[in-house]
Amino acid sequence: MQVKLELPGLWLRYLIAFGAIIILAFVHLLTATNSFTSSKVAAERLNVSGQQRMLSQRITLFANEMVFSNLDKEKIISRIQLGEALEHFADSHKRLTDETAPGSLARDMSRAVRNIYFSGSGGLDELSQRFIREVNIILNGSEAEAQNSVHNINAVAPFQLLDRLDAVAQAHERRAKDHAAFIANVANSVFALTLLVLAAIGILVILPTRQAIQQTLTTLKASLAESESNRAMLEATFEQIDQGLVVYDADLRLVSWSRSFEKILELPPGWARKGRSIEEYFMLNAERGDYGEIADGDLEELVKRRMDRLQVDRKSIKPHRYVRKTAKERYIEIIGNPMPGGGMVTTFTDITQQEEAKQKIERLAWTDTLTGLLNRNALNAQLSRSIADAERTSMKLAFIIVDLDRFKPINDTYGHAAGDFVLQIVAERLRETIGSENKAFRLGGDEFALTVFFNDADQIHYLIDGLAERIRQPIEYEGRELNVSATVGIAVYPDHEANPVELIRKADTALYEAKEKGRGGFRIYDQAVDRKVRRLRWIEDELDRAIKREEFRLHFQPKVCARDTSIVGGEALIRWQHPVKGLMPPGEFIAVVERTDLVFPIGNWVMREAWDKASKWVETSNGEFSLGVNVSPRQFFDVGFRELLKELADRQPELTRYIELEITEEVMIGNMDEAIDILKFVDSMNYRISIDDFGTGYSSISYLHKLPVSTVKIDRSFISALGETARAEHVVRSIVDLGHNLGMKVVAEGVETEQQASLLKEARCDEFQGFLYSKPIPSDDFEVLLSKSQQARMNWALAS
């Protein structure tokens, strides 16, 4: 019974033992399989992480080659390689972070690895995403954006990104080792228990487990070897980039650096070594003169200041970026960024060529290329500095605007090359006159500006007199003497203004007033005339709009025959029909017209309108008619006006002898030869030429016999004095005799009384013009008056 009883218990124990072995074997097999699978996944994770490390290095290398290479072929190859590497890097990152991605390795990720990937702003996921974005900007952005992104990935990829990838690899490796150790303990336990019951079954269970562990360790070693290969590739890349790269530890001592660092900074052989402090680097630069001339005792203070700018303390480095000029005139761009845990990574780039090109562009932007003077772009900044200097030295500053007179005729007559030569000579004279301590500017066209420091008002008057004298000196150009003068406006700091913009405006106001008083003079700003100038400027603006709105009208004043007072001609006089002010007489706007370039379009309009009227009135008067058109001095010398005269003459050549161009003696002063050439050209087309306001000039008789002039008009100042002084009568008789002796017709302007008309008849004057016969009237009224005069003349002829 006992035997029988023992047998079932023995078999039960054997059965329990065998069952335990089976259960342990099953558990062991499950553990081994899980270990094998986990090890395989860990190895694959390590492999993909290693690929990411290698790809990040390749991307960094290709990005630098693409942006900074000087060869187009290398840029294209690098761009292709960069795109491919970026695609592989993005796929690897997605496999490691996205659980929904095909072949994802993100499932069952350890907490340690997940923290590395997704730990806030410094996580590997964010670094990788930023890395991918910056590379996309390099591929698709502008050149400036690409360069900025290269600097960004240079600061991130070689250090922060790789450090994070290393941390991932180490975490995977630790987990694999821990897992392997755990499995080994389980296997050993199962092996010990199984060996007590059935050694053969235990061996069959343990051996596969040991083999799985061995295979896992082999896979881990292979992954570590690949990681080391990637690290070596990174170091090789580090050495090949053109930028100087340097890494400082938390104590700001050299850890590693690229060969380009030593080359760009021209460090002494062997100077760069591990452990060198950044203070030693600053000291070296100071001793070489890279920070300028420094006394020996100030070197340590300079190094301290630079350290203070660099950091709050040795553990808190400030990001910084600046350009430093070395003692050898080279420009180095320095970009430094702190590293997590302390330390700093810094890049050095030689940007000498870019900086020199930039400075050249800036010089061109601030300099007038024709004269070498500062230009209008430089005016406000330089004027502000000059005002500050004047305030600091308790001096006064004169801001002077110089506007050349009679420059446009030189351009029109002799060409722009002659005009440019004149501007260059004037610029040189301005520079020499004001001296090196003052500044000269060309504002554009024939307008210049000067800033002059002074203490006494007499200094400015003396300077302006000398300046005017220098500018008036003849300029020799290709065998000709070219003559210009200048009109000057002046405003003074602090007397008139402290604001640069207002100082310029007030000098311009003074110039405007000086031109109103007559060219060739100067005017210092006076608040009393500011309102007048503002009105003149309003008129100027309105005149510009008046041309577009066609607000101008022509009135005509008759010229009558002295013998029978019949109308034998007229003078075209412009009027302005302003929409608000009504009909404005010429005295309110003609001076503004002649001072500005509006004289050219308005003068041409007058000429065309007068031509159209003359073509009609000549027919109704049987050819005994002439129409006078006033020509301003500026218009007279304008090439465009001469082209208009030729255009009209070509259209109706028979009409030119009825058109009388009235010029003043002013055109002869200083421009005799040029004026004679123009008058001969006009005469060749059979236009009549009349000297208006005769007797008011300075050299009437000296030039009159040289000109193809058909008529002289006695100035109204002589006519108004007739009957009051015997001298006026003698002057009028002399002018009439002179004109007749030269074969010219003589016309008296401003005849207002019968006594004046009687005395003029006695003096044998040919024609009269004045209020005694008619004021200037609209064309329709003039036409009626002309028709009546012609009818009366015909009746008189029939009666006689």
Side-chain angles (χ1 to χ4, degrees):
M1 291 281 304
Q2 291 179 346
V3 173
K4 289 182 180 179
L5 290 171
E6 291 176 358
L7 285 175
L10 181 62
W11 281 105
L12 182 60
R13 284 193 291 272
Y14 274 105
L15 183 61
I16 292 172
F18 186 79
I21 292 172
I22 295 298
I23 291 171
L24 289 171
F26 181 74
V27 170
H28 184 269
L29 286 173
L30 286 177
T31 305
T33 302
N34 179 60
S35 172
F36 180 80
T37 302
S38 299
S39 300
K40 184 179 179 182
V41 171
E44 190 169 1
R45 283 173 175 157
L46 279 171
N47 185 48
V48 174
S49 297
Q51 288 178 2
Q52 273 196 294
R53 285 169 44 80
M54 178 187 69
L55 288 168
S56 69
Q57 298 158 14
R58 290 171 63 83
I59 286 170
T60 304
L61 176 61
F62 295 147
N64 278 275
E65 288 181 350
M66 173 184 160
V67 174
F68 296 111
S69 175
N70 294 324
L71 300 176
D72 291 339
K73 182 177 179 182
E74 289 186 3
K75 282 180 176 287
I76 294 171
I77 294 172
S78 298
R79 184 182 184 88
I80 295 171
Q81 293 173 330
L82 180 61
E84 293 174 351
L86 177 62
E87 183 178 356
H88 293 320
F89 181 88
D91 289 343
S92 298
H93 180 70
K94 190 171 184 180
R95 285 189 66 194
L96 290 169
T97 58
D98 186 359
E99 293 185 0
T100 64
S104 172
L105 298 174
R107 292 185 289 273
D108 194 31
M109 185 183 291
S110 69
R111 180 177 297 176
V113 174
R114 184 170 295 279
N115 285 341
I116 294 171
Y117 269 102
F118 304 105
S119 60
S121 60
L124 179 56
D125 179 65
E126 181 178 334
L127 287 173
S128 298
Q129 293 291 350
R130 192 194 316 162
F131 184 70
I132 292 169
R133 286 196 301 273
E134 294 293 345
V135 177
N136 274 315
I137 291 173
I138 294 170
L139 285 169
N140 303 310
S142 65
E143 184 175 351
E145 291 172 338
Q147 289 182 359
N148 186 56
S149 293
V150 166
H151 290 317
N152 290 340
I153 67 171
N154 284 342
V156 172
F159 306 105
Q160 293 175 276
L161 189 62
L162 292 179
D163 288 344
R164 282 298 192 181
L165 287 171
D166 281 342
V168 167
Q170 292 169 8
H172 283 314
E173 184 177 349
R174 282 195 301 273
R175 188 184 185 199
K177 286 182 178 179
D178 292 344
H179 193 68
F182 172 76
I183 296 303
N185 291 333
V186 172
N188 288 333
S189 299
V190 172
F191 174 76
L193 291 171
T194 305
L195 187 61
L196 294 172
V197 181
L198 191 60
I201 295 176
I203 293 172
L204 291 175
V205 171
I206 294 172
L207 186 60
T209 303
R210 292 175 63 84
Q211 289 174 342
I213 293 171
Q214 194 66 38
Q215 184 178 358
T216 300
L217 292 174
T218 301
T219 303
L220 287 173
K221 288 179 180 179
S223 296
L224 290 173
E226 184 177 355
S227 296
E228 287 301 318
S229 174
N230 290 339
R231 185 184 296 277
M233 184 179 295
L234 173 62
E235 292 176 354
T237 302
F238 189 78
E239 284 301 314
Q240 293 300 317
I241 61 176
D242 292 333
Q243 284 181 309
L245 270 175
V246 62
V247 178
Y248 293 98
D249 62 16
D251 293 324
L252 294 182
R253 294 185 176 276
L254 275 176
V255 175
S256 60
W257 60 92
S258 68
R259 195 169 300 164
S260 297
F261 167 67
E262 299 178 83
K263 180 181 178 182
I264 289 173
L265 295 178
E266 299 180 307
L267 299 176
W271 186 92
R273 65 172 183 270
K274 284 189 176 181
R276 279 277 194 191
S277 69
I278 198 168
E279 288 97 330
E280 292 178 89
Y281 166 71
F282 289 149
M283 186 68 74
L284 173 66
N285 289 338
E287 291 171 347
R288 296 193 301 186
D290 286 358
Y291 304 140
E293 292 295 328
I294 302 167
D296 292 340
D298 295 335
L299 287 177
E300 292 184 3
E301 179 62 28
L302 180 142
V303 171
K304 182 179 182 302
R305 287 200 306 270
R306 288 197 163 262
M307 290 296 295
D308 291 342
R309 275 193 303 233
L310 183 66
Q311 61 186 14
V312 177
D313 54 57
R314 299 189 80 83
K315 301 294 182 181
S316 181
I317 306 298
K318 296 177 183 176
H320 51 278
R321 178 175 187 164
Y322 60 94
V323 175
R324 177 168 61 80
K325 184 179 180 182
T326 71
K328 294 184 177 181
E329 302 291 323
R330 293 171 61 242
Y331 292 88
I332 309 297
E333 182 184 49
I334 301 168
I335 303 174
N337 286 289
M339 293 193 300
M344 175 177 66
V345 59
T346 304
T347 61
F348 299 83
T349 308
D350 188 336
I351 60 168
T352 301
Q353 290 185 344
Q354 300 95 304
E355 191 67 23
E356 289 175 347
K358 175 184 173 183
Q359 290 178 5
K360 183 177 180 180
I361 291 171
E362 287 179 352
R363 284 195 302 271
L364 290 174
W366 291 79
T367 305
D368 177 55
T369 54
L370 176 64
T371 63
L373 301 180
L374 294 170
N375 62 15
R376 185 179 288 275
N377 295 332
L379 178 60
N380 281 340
Q382 184 59 52
L383 183 55
S384 296
R385 283 195 290 270
S386 296
I387 289 174
D389 290 342
E391 182 179 15
R392 178 174 48 81
T393 57
S394 299
M395 296 186 72
K396 292 187 176 184
L397 179 74
F399 180 72
I400 305 169
I401 299 180
V402 179
D403 188 74
L404 298 186
D405 305 323
R406 311 225 44 77
F407 174 73
K408 190 176 187 301
I410 292 175
N411 249 349
D412 293 343
T413 305
Y414 303 112
H416 289 284
D420 289 348
F421 181 76
V422 168
L423 292 174
Q424 289 170 337
I425 296 298
V426 169
E428 185 59 32
R429 290 176 179 178
L430 291 175
R431 228 181 335 239
E432 291 173 354
T433 302
I434 65 174
S436 59
E437 69 277 9
N438 300 307
K439 302 293 183 185
F441 306 80
R442 183 187 176 207
L443 303 183
D446 59 352
E447 193 171 62
F448 298 85
L450 310 170
T451 55
V452 177
F453 294 97
F454 71 99
N455 290 312
D456 191 315
D458 290 340
Q459 291 177 273
I460 289 299
H461 287 82
Y462 179 78
L463 178 101
I464 295 301
D465 289 342
L467 193 65
E469 181 61 30
R470 287 295 309 277
I471 293 175
R472 279 197 300 267
Q473 291 175 5
I475 298 173
E476 292 288 338
Y477 178 76
E478 295 184 352
R480 286 181 176 269
E481 277 193 2
L482 305 181
N483 295 278
V484 292
S485 59
T487 304
V488 176
I490 306 168
V492 176
Y493 164 85
D495 297 355
H496 301 138
E497 187 59 56
N499 179 277
V501 175
E502 279 299 299
L503 196 66
I504 294 170
R505 185 191 71 78
K506 290 183 176 179
D508 194 45
T509 298
L511 175 68
Y512 202 99
E513 177 66 10
K515 289 181 179 180
E516 288 298 311
K517 297 296 182 182
R519 295 179 178 272
F522 77 94
R523 182 76 184 230
I524 297 176
Y525 175 79
D526 183 353
Q527 191 172 8
V529 301
D530 206 357
R531 185 177 300 174
K532 174 186 174 184
V533 171
R534 287 177 184 271
R535 171 168 172 75
L536 292 175
R537 289 192 182 280
W538 174 84
I539 290 174
E540 185 175 331
D541 293 339
E542 287 293 297
L543 282 170
D544 190 40
R545 286 188 282 270
I547 296 173
K548 301 168 186 173
R549 297 189 298 232
E550 299 182 350
E551 294 174 0
F552 293 112
R553 306 286 185 268
L554 278 189
H555 283 196
F556 300 86
Q557 186 172 34
K559 289 187 292 185
V560 302
C561 176
R563 185 179 64 256
D564 57 11
T565 68
S566 61
I567 297 176
V568 292
E571 180 179 358
L573 301 166
I574 190 169
R575 297 293 185 267
W576 180 10
Q577 188 65 48
H578 191 273
V580 177
K581 301 292 185 179
L583 190 65
M584 296 178 65
E588 291 197 33
F589 65 89
I590 284 297
V592 178
V593 171
E594 292 184 346
R595 189 187 57 79
T596 66
D597 287 343
L598 296 173
V599 70
F600 304 116
I602 293 176
N604 289 350
W605 177 85
V606 169
M607 187 66 215
R608 290 183 184 277
E609 287 289 307
W611 180 276
D612 291 341
K613 297 299 181 184
S615 63
K616 178 180 179 181
W617 293 338
V618 165
E619 292 179 7
T620 60
S621 62
N622 296 319
E624 296 182 12
F625 184 85
S626 66
L627 183 60
V629 180
N630 289 288
V631 180
S632 75
R634 294 185 68 203
Q635 187 182 14
F636 177 79
F637 288 101
D638 180 46
V639 172
F641 180 66
R642 298 200 291 276
E643 291 173 351
L644 172 62
L645 293 179
K646 188 173 187 312
E647 173 197 328
L648 296 173
D650 290 342
R651 188 200 308 170
Q652 289 179 273
E654 72 283 354
L655 189 60
T656 57
R657 60 195 181 94
Y658 300 106
I659 300 296
E660 195 165 74
L661 303 179
E662 299 188 6
I663 62 174
T664 63
E665 295 172 281
E666 183 184 345
V667 300
M668 305 300 157
I669 301 172
N671 298 276
M672 175 73 75
D673 294 339
E674 185 181 350
I676 290 174
D677 291 342
I678 294 173
L679 288 172
K680 286 180 178 178
F681 171 75
V682 172
D683 183 61
S684 69
M685 294 182 285
N686 291 323
Y687 285 98
R688 295 186 186 182
I689 300 167
S690 170
I691 301 297
D692 199 10
D693 301 333
F694 184 80
T696 59
Y698 296 98
S699 55
S700 304
I701 299 175
S702 65
Y703 67 72
L704 194 59
H705 70 282
K706 300 178 182 179
L707 307 178
V709 174
S710 60
T711 304
V712 292
K713 298 183 74 173
I714 306 173
D715 185 68
R716 64 182 64 247
S717 62
F718 300 118
I719 306 302
S720 63
L722 285 176
E724 297 178 3
T725 65
R727 185 173 184 178
E729 188 174 343
H730 291 317
V731 170
V732 169
R733 288 182 180 275
S734 297
I735 294 174
V736 173
D737 291 341
L738 174 64
H740 288 166
N741 289 335
L742 292 174
M744 301 175 187
K745 181 175 62 179
V746 181
V747 179
E749 295 183 285
V751 180
E752 297 182 356
T753 67
E754 291 289 352
Q755 182 185 20
Q756 292 170 353
S758 177
L759 291 173
L760 287 167
K761 287 180 181 179
E762 292 178 10
R764 298 183 299 115
C765 186
D766 300 302
E767 295 177 2
F768 303 155
Q769 181 180 345
F771 282 8
L772 179 61
Y773 305 101
S774 174
K775 64 180 182 180
I777 53 179
S779 60
D780 291 344
D781 295 341
F782 181 86
E783 192 169 326
V784 171
L785 203 61
L786 177 62
S787 178
K788 290 180 178 178
S789 175
Q790 293 297 327
Q791 186 62 45
R793 191 170 187 179
M794 289 176 60
N795 293 338
W796 180 82
L798 290 173
S800 60

